[in-house]
Amino acid sequence: MPRVAAESQEISLDGGWESPTLGELLKALEDGDRKKDTGEDALAHHILDLTSPETRPVPFLLSFNNLCYDVRGKAGSVKTLLNDVSGEVCDGDILAVLGASGAGKSTLIDALAGRVSSLRGTVTLNGEKVLQTQLLKVISAYVMQDDLLFPMLTVKETLMFASEFRLPRSLSKSKKMERVQTLIDQLGLRNAADTIIGNEGHRGVSGGERRRVSIGIDIIHDPIVLFLDEPTSGLDSTNAFMVVQVLKRIARSGSMVIMSIHQPSARIIDLLDRLIILSRGKSVFSGSPTSLPQFLSEFGHPVPEKENITEFALDLIRQLEGSSTQGTKELVEFNEKWQHNQSPRATPMTTPYKALSLKESIITSVSRGKLVSGSTSSNPISMETVSYANTPLVETYILSKRYMKNWSRTPELITTRLATVMVTGLILATIYWRLDITPRGAQERMAFFAFAMSTMFYTCADNIPVFIQERFIFLRETTHNAYRTYSYVISHALVSLPQLFALSIAFAATTFWTVGLSGGVESFLYYCLIIYAGFWSGSSFVTFISGLIPNVMISFMVTIAYLSYCLLMGGFFINRDRIPSYWIWFHYISLMKYPYEGVLINEFDDPSRCFVRGVQVFDGTLFAKVPDAIKVKLFDTLDNSLGTKITESTCLRTGTDLLLQQGISQLSKWDCLWITFAWGIFFRILFYLSLLFASKNKRK
């Protein structure tokens, strides 16, 4: 009989057994390990039986029947990933799904977790359908196969943020920290608790430790139903066994654990309660691992002595798939007959005890110590109406705090972005150094503004990979209601504002006085604000694109193309009144139109400033090389026709005239500022909608 040593009283898993909480089990294991390390009498250890011939009444039964799932190929062909798969799992059980690559293990886990949208068949919890419900999100957790973590947070910080998102709000911060410390000890991460997760550019925890952190994030709130996609992937046998031991204790604390696994060791098999083996989407075995040798023997393939039973079974299935014309059809049919002849397993529906409804079962689990999000001791079923652990304001604060902490530990990125903006400003400052007030100076000012405003938007393109990298973290956390989507969007916007403001001040201070822009402090402040608004709208646009298109290269292509069109239609290369009528609509949705017009108005909207005086009107024409004396005589001949006296000092074109010449007469500079800010808000709303509808963590 498989056993796990524990330093506690002997616990018999019979009908009168009372499930300890996860915290109690973890403490018992920690105490046992500590005494073992210190050399205390090992014989004093008692035994925690993990199996028992008697089945105690269970409050939960997850049943799935006749699950089928098909996908269509490019040529219209249909591939069946799940074909009439059925089974059940009770609380206290670990159900493992085995099979070769492509057998449908991950697909079945996704189907049971409600991550498959076109699934056929039924999945019930205590007789009630729970797929696609808020309740399933609250009482369950899903551990993905990939490790999706913020690289610059430490192990302790990562788990602490997870506890703030998932544990009930009634728990104090000290209680949450205590739970995190317990989990760190149980996962064997004490020595790595203050080490960052790390990535390609920053050395952090090892691959095995990273995997355990990923699991810890989703078991922090002690879920009633826990789904895991190959939790032992990438771990050595010792770490894999330790992970399954943790999962076993979670199950015994009143949870049901459903996981896919690839060729488990004999020690891990001893910890499993139920086993489903798949072959090309069909179930070829379903039952207790202890009955698998008998099943194979009756099928005519007894397991050799000292052979790993699951490895032998998978090798047999692989042989049948490759050598027989009918594949595993005979094994599937034998499994159906064998299942029919087996005595029914004791469940809440078959025991003499009164079966509990889903609501009663949840109340029982919470009263035993489950920390289901939204539940309290006085109202343990409140998760039916409250599906989040925190209020939107608290969620926004926690998300902002996490992002700022992760971002602040990447000084090279902060410095690089600031340096890029300042170098661009310095290059522009040296090229357009102290522009004069002449026709050519006016033209150079317009060219400077066009390039400067476009720089604001193109610089923001480096934000594209940011959300794409975080997208799967967002999907994992929001799938089980860690926080609301709009809380994420608001926090994402809030934390970007200080960064953008620093960039705006740096660029404005680098270029305003060096280029020779006019207006003093008031004009400088507006110049800072319009640059800030440009950064804001540009950042919001690329954030929306990255949320809508989860591919870095395609997102870059779409962003660069759209910004190029905006620059073309923004008013510098072609005036508004010269744009064809069938393209005039794009002029008004150009992101660069409004900041460009705003800075032009800020610079030129002054009737007292003259940019063309007397003979300067001939600059850029055939008369430019003619001596000034002849130009003055030409003015004398025109005086009678024009009805005014023109001298070398006569102002012929003010800044206001230049604005009218550029077709800038519809908006004030403050209108341009507010519209630019409004564009940013508009794209943040589109970003929210893209997350709400386009970023679904489901298979179609």
Side-chain angles (χ1 to χ4, degrees):
M1 178 181 295
R3 304 178 182 186
V4 174
E7 185 64 25
S8 62
Q9 62 180 7
E10 183 169 348
I11 303 175
S12 176
L13 304 182
D14 56 14
W17 185 76
E18 182 72 10
S19 298
T21 64
L22 175 62
E24 292 169 347
L25 286 171
L26 297 182
K27 186 175 185 303
L29 181 65
E30 181 184 0
D31 293 340
D33 291 341
R34 184 166 55 250
K35 289 191 176 183
K36 182 177 179 180
D37 293 338
T38 56
E40 294 185 23
D41 186 9
L43 297 177
H45 286 204
H46 296 282
I47 299 298
L48 171 63
D49 264 339
L50 297 181
T51 61
S52 175
E54 299 182 21
T55 304
R56 64 186 178 89
V58 293
F60 288 105
L61 173 65
L62 180 69
S63 177
F64 48 99
N65 298 287
N66 311 116
L67 297 186
C68 298
Y69 176 58
D70 303 324
V71 293
R72 290 191 174 275
K74 294 182 179 180
S77 60
V78 177
K79 182 179 181 180
T80 300
L81 300 184
L82 293 178
N83 188 356
D84 197 28
V85 179
S86 300
E88 65 181 23
V89 57
C90 299
D91 81 313
D93 286 350
I94 294 182
L95 168 64
V97 183
L98 272 72
S101 297
K105 304 186 297 296
S106 297
T107 303
L108 179 58
I109 299 298
D110 286 347
L112 298 177
R115 293 156 60 92
V116 173
S117 58
S118 56
L119 181 70
R120 301 191 302 277
T122 59
V123 180
T124 60
L125 185 60
N126 282 22
E128 299 183 23
K129 294 182 178 180
V130 293
L131 285 183
Q132 317 302 332
T133 63
Q134 289 291 326
L135 182 59
L136 181 63
K137 292 183 178 182
V138 173
I139 66 174
S140 68
Y142 185 99
V143 180
M144 295 181 179
Q145 187 172 352
D146 298 323
D147 299 324
L148 306 170
L149 305 167
F150 284 93
M152 303 311 296
L153 298 181
T154 66
V155 170
K156 183 187 295 184
E157 289 169 345
T158 299
L159 294 176
M160 193 63 204
F161 279 118
S163 71
E164 292 181 346
F165 284 130
R166 303 302 299 271
L167 296 185
R169 69 189 71 171
S170 57
L171 283 183
S172 64
K173 189 168 184 177
S174 60
K175 290 291 184 181
K176 292 179 180 179
M177 179 60 74
E178 181 180 347
R179 188 168 185 80
V180 167
Q181 291 289 358
T182 302
L183 191 58
I184 287 175
D185 292 339
Q186 179 58 24
L187 293 174
L189 296 170
R190 179 179 295 181
N191 293 333
D194 296 317
T195 304
I196 63 171
I197 301 299
N199 55 16
E200 297 83 358
H202 299 83
R203 186 174 180 84
V205 298
S206 66
E209 291 169 334
R210 181 192 297 266
R211 186 64 179 152
R212 280 176 274 164
V213 174
S214 296
I215 295 174
I217 288 174
D218 286 299
I219 66 175
I220 190 73
H221 68 301
D222 200 8
I224 292 174
V225 186
L226 178 60
F227 302 100
L228 304 102
D229 188 9
E230 297 199 19
T232 60
S233 176
L235 303 181
D236 57 41
S237 59
T238 301
N239 283 322
F241 178 66
M242 186 186 72
V243 166
V244 179
Q245 276 187 313
V246 173
L247 298 178
K248 188 66 179 180
R249 283 157 179 77
I250 294 174
R252 289 309 191 200
S253 70
S255 299
M256 56 183 73
V257 178
I258 305 171
M259 67 177 181
S260 60
I261 194 169
H262 186 68
Q263 291 187 329
S265 65
R267 292 192 301 168
I268 290 178
I269 295 172
D270 289 340
L271 298 178
L272 305 180
D273 299 289
R274 306 290 292 175
L275 192 63
I276 293 179
I277 302 179
L278 298 178
S279 172
R280 295 176 180 173
K282 296 182 180 181
S283 176
V284 296
F285 175 78
S286 179
S288 170
T290 57
S291 63
L292 181 57
Q294 178 187 353
F295 172 84
L296 295 173
S297 179
E298 294 181 10
F299 182 64
H301 293 77
V303 182
E305 188 177 355
K306 296 183 180 180
E307 180 83 9
N308 185 302
I309 58 174
T310 56
E311 290 183 2
F312 178 81
L314 293 175
D315 289 341
L316 174 62
I317 293 169
R318 192 175 294 109
Q319 287 180 348
L320 293 175
E321 290 176 345
S323 61
S324 174
T325 56
Q326 293 185 330
T328 56
K329 181 179 180 182
E330 183 181 354
L331 183 58
V332 172
E333 293 175 350
F334 176 78
N335 176 51
E336 293 175 352
K337 295 178 182 178
W338 192 81
Q339 294 288 342
H340 182 73
N341 295 330
Q342 296 299 304
S343 58
R345 185 188 185 210
T347 70
M349 310 304 171
T350 60
T351 57
Y353 300 92
K354 177 183 177 182
L356 298 177
S357 67
L358 180 57
K359 180 177 180 179
E360 293 170 334
S361 298
I362 296 176
I363 292 176
T364 302
S365 292
V366 173
S367 65
R368 288 180 179 181
K370 285 290 177 186
L371 298 175
V372 178
S373 299
S375 62
T376 62
S377 57
S378 60
N379 186 17
I381 199 61
S382 63
M383 79 286 293
E384 289 184 343
T385 54
V386 180
S387 55
Y388 297 93
N390 301 295
T391 63
L393 186 61
V394 174
E395 289 173 355
T396 302
Y397 171 74
I398 297 173
L399 285 165
S400 301
K401 180 181 176 182
R402 180 177 69 175
Y403 184 89
M404 290 299 293
K405 184 167 289 189
N406 183 74
W407 176 77
S408 64
R409 292 175 182 171
T410 55
E412 66 279 4
L413 295 180
I414 302 171
T415 304
T416 300
R417 194 174 187 192
L418 183 61
T420 300
V421 171
M422 293 193 68
V423 167
T424 303
L426 288 173
I427 292 175
L428 290 174
T430 54
I431 293 176
Y432 297 100
W433 180 263
R434 307 299 294 178
L435 295 177
D436 53 17
I437 304 178
T438 63
R440 181 171 294 182
Q443 189 63 35
E444 290 172 347
R445 277 176 166 80
M446 294 179 187
F448 163 76
F449 287 136
F451 189 89
M453 294 303 105
S454 63
T455 298
M456 304 302 100
F457 292 89
Y458 285 110
T459 302
C460 292
D462 65 356
N463 278 338
I464 290 176
V466 173
F467 176 73
I468 293 179
Q469 293 174 354
E470 298 176 6
R471 181 173 183 268
F472 290 102
I473 299 178
F474 166 82
L475 291 176
R476 183 196 67 200
E477 293 176 335
T478 55
T479 294
H480 293 282
N481 289 13
Y483 46 80
R484 298 163 180 83
T485 300
Y486 62 81
S487 297
Y488 178 85
V489 173
I490 294 173
S491 67
H492 196 277
L494 290 178
V495 297
S496 67
L497 292 176
Q499 308 172 38
L500 300 178
F501 186 73
L503 297 177
S504 304
I505 294 295
F507 186 83
T510 306
T511 58
F512 186 83
W513 285 284
T514 55
V515 173
L517 303 183
S518 66
V521 175
E522 182 180 350
S523 291
F524 173 74
L525 293 177
Y526 179 85
Y527 184 61
C528 292
L529 288 176
I530 198 65
I531 291 175
Y532 186 33
F535 272 123
W536 160 249
S537 59
S539 174
S540 299
F541 170 71
V542 297
T543 301
F544 160 63
I545 293 297
S546 63
L548 184 66
I549 307 174
N551 182 286
V552 175
M553 292 306 299
I554 298 177
S555 294
F556 267 117
M557 291 170 61
V558 172
T559 299
I560 299 303
Y562 178 73
L563 293 180
S564 298
Y565 304 149
C566 289
L567 179 60
L568 176 63
M569 300 291 186
F572 173 72
F573 292 102
I574 182 170
N575 291 350
R576 174 173 54 83
D577 55 1
R578 299 286 294 174
I579 298 176
S581 58
Y582 46 83
W583 279 118
I584 193 64
W585 60 272
F586 205 105
H587 172 72
Y588 290 101
I589 67 169
S590 170
L591 295 181
M592 299 182 192
K593 161 186 166 63
Y594 301 99
Y596 175 65
E597 291 188 2
V599 290
L600 285 184
I601 297 172
N602 188 55
E603 177 68 17
F604 293 113
D605 192 18
D606 183 0
S608 64
R609 295 186 71 204
C610 185
F611 287 88
V612 181
R613 291 184 181 275
V615 296
Q616 290 178 341
V617 74
F618 297 109
D619 291 353
T621 69
L622 292 175
F623 298 97
K625 296 182 180 180
V626 174
D628 289 348
I630 298 177
K631 294 176 185 177
V632 173
K633 290 181 180 180
L634 182 59
F635 283 144
D636 292 337
T637 61
L638 295 175
D639 286 345
N640 294 331
S641 300
L642 297 176
T644 183
K645 180 66 174 176
I646 301 178
T647 65
E648 293 186 54
S649 61
T650 303
C651 182
L652 299 180
R653 185 167 296 167
T654 64
T656 304
D657 297 327
L658 289 175
L659 292 177
L660 293 175
Q661 183 183 2
Q662 295 294 314
I664 301 174
S665 59
Q666 296 178 327
L667 300 170
S668 69
K669 67 177 185 180
W670 296 107
D671 291 334
C672 294
L673 178 64
W674 305 136
I675 292 174
T676 306
F677 270 114
W679 271 119
I681 296 173
F682 174 71
F683 282 117
R684 292 289 171 173
I685 295 173
L686 291 183
F687 176 52
Y688 167 72
L689 295 177
S690 70
L691 297 184
L692 201 61
F693 298 109
S695 296
K696 295 295 184 181
N697 197 14
K698 292 183 179 180
R699 304 189 188 196
K700 297 182 180 179

